[in-house]
Amino acid sequence: VCMRGESSSGADLAGPEGTLSGNDAAAYLERVSKLIREPASRAKIAKAMRQRVEQQFGWNQTVRQIESLCDQ
């Protein structure tokens, strides 16, 4: 969950389904409030974010990045 510009990459988090970033503070607060009110929304974004972390920061990805650095 971030306002645009707070994420290190500046990209939306988890793609369209899990995106909570934006420039409009009111819309951002509404999205966060929805997570608080709706367990299904929390579960959906949790699943999307877990997939993102596993894909981008799992051992396989980390090893590939280290190998790439070693090859330089």
Side-chain angles (χ1 to χ4, degrees):
V1 177
C2 70
M3 291 291 288
R4 182 149 330 269
E6 289 183 10
S7 118
S8 61
S9 67
D12 289 341
L13 301 177
E17 295 298 317
T19 298
L20 289 179
S21 62
N23 293 323
D24 180 1
Y28 175 79
L29 289 173
E30 177 54 36
R31 291 181 198 120
V32 171
S33 295
K34 182 178 178 181
L35 289 178
I36 294 168
R37 290 188 313 268
E38 299 177 12
S41 293
R42 285 194 304 272
K44 185 176 182 179
I45 196 166
K47 181 178 179 181
M49 295 309 296
R50 180 181 178 106
Q51 288 175 342
R52 176 186 161 111
V53 168
E54 288 173 348
Q55 289 172 355
Q56 295 190 2
F57 305 105
W59 283 112
N60 289 338
Q61 183 63 20
T62 302
V63 168
R64 276 185 240 134
Q65 289 174 348
I66 291 171
E67 288 174 338
S68 175
L69 290 172
C70 291
D71 289 341
Q72 292 180 2

